[in-house]
Amino acid sequence: MYAVRYELIKKCRQSGARLGRLHTPHGIIETPIFMPVGTQATVKSMTPEELKEIGSQIILSNTYHLYMRPGYELIKKAGGLHEFMQWDKPILTDSGGFQVFSLGPLRKITEEGVEFRSHLDGSRHTITPEKAVEIQTALGSDIMMAFDECAPYPADRDYVKKSLERTTRWLRRCKDAHKNTENQALFGIVQGGMYKDLREQSAREITAIDLPGYAIGGLSVGEPKDIMYDILGHTVQFLPEDKPRYLMGVGSPDDLLEGVIRGVDMFDCVLPTRIARNGTAMTSQGKVVVRNATYAEDFSSLDPECDCYTCRNYTKAYIRHLIKANEILGARLLTIHNLRFLLKLMENIRTAIHEDRLLDFKEEFLKKYYQK
Ligand SMILES: [Zn+2]
């Protein structure tokens, strides 16, 4: 029996979208879902109570960053990540692969794993598939991700083929190292770059290894959107119907819609929290760069259709003032709003799937979102 089980409730008659439930050791998640990112064991500036209030069902945390600081032994001593950060709902941890590979000249890839130097103090480390599982076991996440290589874009076919085959071998090692299967689920990751035949090869190899869920990695890495949607649609057909599908690192409103339409159930992205700190809001009428002078005397809320704490209480003029003055509250208010906006979008998407009208909903939503 796996720690995480996917229940398919219904499929949309207008698209490939799926309505489902993910049963986890820390509760049930309604899918499709957007997962706020809490890299350093915190969704920047948000308390767990605030996250729950805006409808967060699950959050994501980062193996590489927590391994570097404060260290996974310390978090284990604290009773695991849920206890350490006081979040009692599900947590997904990525494997650290993406961050390690992003280190560029600071890292070296071998069959064994990846050797690298810390971005904090230059110290030497090696992460192997076994180590990634050991760290995530100590963190106690509900869903842990396999250690994989996300090939860069662009990358030549030969490199991508070798890389995805190594990712499959690493997944087998992750599965062998993963003992706590009743409390933690391990998801495999399909790679293959922008090559359709390699995506198929990777999907067939990865799904041949029996696991409670599968992710699609290596997309949204700089390729044009039409290529991303084409590769995504091509890849999903090789994934099993009875397991959840997670598209990694994708979270703009149009990407969420296009992903759900192609049958994806789970998403994560730093975009809503990152642009919040730069003074930008995502609203039902499109992006609002609230730091712009246009909003200096705008005493309306960020988004007339939003029900969040920020929109119920504050004006654009006030939030603009906070951002201009570098006040922490400005970033906090925008973070609350941006996360609520995406979580509410996913709620509306789930309703539209239930009513078999997701394509109609997409058209209405994008018409307003891009009206400017
Ligand atoms: Zn709002």
Side-chain angles (χ1 to χ4, degrees):
M1 194 61 184
Y2 282 123
V4 164
R5 180 173 61 83
Y6 178 72
E7 179 192 352
L8 177 63
I9 296 172
K10 83 174 287 265
K11 286 161 89 175
C12 178
R13 286 204 204 107
Q14 269 194 345
S15 69
R18 300 143 40 103
L19 197 64
R21 282 193 202 104
L22 205 57
H23 299 258
T24 84
H26 287 86
I28 297 168
I29 299 162
E30 307 283 337
T31 61
I33 185 62
F34 176 78
M35 304 182 280
V37 180
T39 305
Q40 309 269 14
T42 168
V43 175
K44 288 193 197 304
S45 85
M46 300 280 287
T47 66
E49 287 70 26
E50 288 168 335
L51 286 170
K52 285 180 196 169
E53 198 186 313
I54 59 169
S56 310
Q57 303 184 62
I58 172 173
I59 60 168
L60 189 138
S61 203
N62 187 290
T63 298
Y64 168 76
H65 287 276
L66 297 179
Y67 166 74
M68 285 298 161
R69 183 176 57 195
Y72 65 104
E73 298 92 345
L74 185 144
I75 292 176
K76 190 177 181 183
K77 259 189 228 164
L81 191 52
H82 288 89
E83 183 66 22
F84 187 50
M85 68 180 289
Q86 287 300 299
W87 172 258
D88 57 10
K89 286 177 176 269
I91 298 176
L92 181 149
T93 45
D94 65 15
S95 69
F98 185 80
Q99 283 72 30
V100 169
F101 284 103
S102 306
L103 291 171
L106 293 175
R107 56 109 175 107
K108 188 178 145 215
I109 309 165
T110 65
E111 183 62 27
E112 182 56 18
V114 183
E115 295 166 30
F116 61 97
R117 282 173 177 273
S118 161
H119 73 292
L120 294 173
D121 60 11
S123 55
R124 285 177 184 279
H125 303 267
T126 303
I127 292 193
T128 60
E130 291 78 12
K131 188 78 182 177
V133 168
E134 184 192 336
I135 298 168
Q136 293 180 93
T137 301
L139 296 176
S141 47
D142 298 80
I143 299 169
M144 62 168 85
M145 299 306 298
F147 192 64
D148 67 327
E149 180 186 5
C150 174
Y153 176 82
D156 72 62
R157 198 176 179 287
D158 203 41
Y159 181 89
V160 174
K161 186 170 164 63
K162 283 193 181 112
S163 166
L164 81 84
E165 287 168 356
R166 185 170 49 220
T167 286
T168 301
R169 292 192 295 275
W170 282 359
L171 176 59
R172 286 195 202 101
R173 286 167 56 190
C174 284
K175 192 177 178 188
D176 287 344
H178 176 40
K179 304 294 180 207
N180 191 19
T181 50
E182 281 185 19
N183 300 306
Q184 293 181 279
L186 170 69
F187 280 18
I189 304 172
V190 175
Q191 292 288 349
M194 304 305 153
Y195 302 95
K196 283 193 174 173
D197 59 325
L198 297 185
R199 282 281 166 183
E200 177 177 349
Q201 181 189 342
S202 179
R204 289 191 189 282
E205 288 179 13
I206 297 294
T207 58
I209 299 168
D210 187 30
L211 293 168
Y214 300 98
I216 299 165
L219 288 179
S220 196
V221 290
E223 76 282 11
K225 290 219 177 198
D226 55 337
I227 293 183
M228 173 185 150
Y229 298 150
D230 188 31
I231 296 292
L232 174 62
H234 177 76
T235 307
V236 168
Q237 64 177 314
F238 302 109
L239 302 181
E241 283 255 313
D242 60 345
K243 303 282 173 74
R245 303 150 173 179
Y246 163 29
L247 176 57
M248 305 180 80
V250 166
S252 68
D254 44 350
D255 290 351
L256 293 174
L257 279 160
E258 295 296 340
V260 169
I261 283 167
R262 286 163 179 78
V264 174
D265 309 299
M266 305 165 73
F267 303 85
D268 80 285
C269 192
V270 295
L271 182 80
T273 42
R274 181 173 289 163
I275 66 173
R277 297 196 296 281
N278 296 327
T280 299
M282 289 188 259
T283 79
S284 56
Q285 275 97 47
K287 272 192 193 164
V288 170
V289 185
V290 78
R291 63 161 57 244
N292 284 355
T294 334
Y295 303 110
E297 295 189 13
D298 187 330
F299 303 113
S300 65
S301 67
L302 282 173
D303 186 346
E305 291 181 27
C306 183
D307 58 4
C308 85
Y309 169 76
T310 303
C311 293
R312 288 199 315 268
N313 292 286
Y314 302 97
T315 63
K316 292 192 196 76
Y318 178 63
I319 297 165
R320 173 174 188 269
H321 157 68
L322 294 176
I323 294 287
K324 297 286 284 181
N326 273 325
E327 283 293 337
I328 297 167
L329 186 60
R332 256 175 62 66
L333 293 177
L334 282 171
T335 301
I336 290 170
H337 167 79
N338 280 351
L339 286 177
R340 177 60 193 152
F341 176 75
L342 288 188
L343 292 166
K344 177 82 181 171
L345 170 62
M346 298 312 285
E347 287 174 20
N348 291 340
I349 286 175
R350 292 196 295 271
T351 304
I353 299 172
H354 185 72
E355 295 169 353
D356 292 310
R357 53 181 304 275
L358 185 60
L359 292 186
D360 299 337
F361 173 79
K362 173 191 150 190
E363 201 182 312
E364 290 156 25
F365 176 88
L366 292 179
K367 203 169 141 193
K368 266 207 281 183
Y369 195 76
Y370 289 113
Q371 66 186 340
K372 288 182 198 151

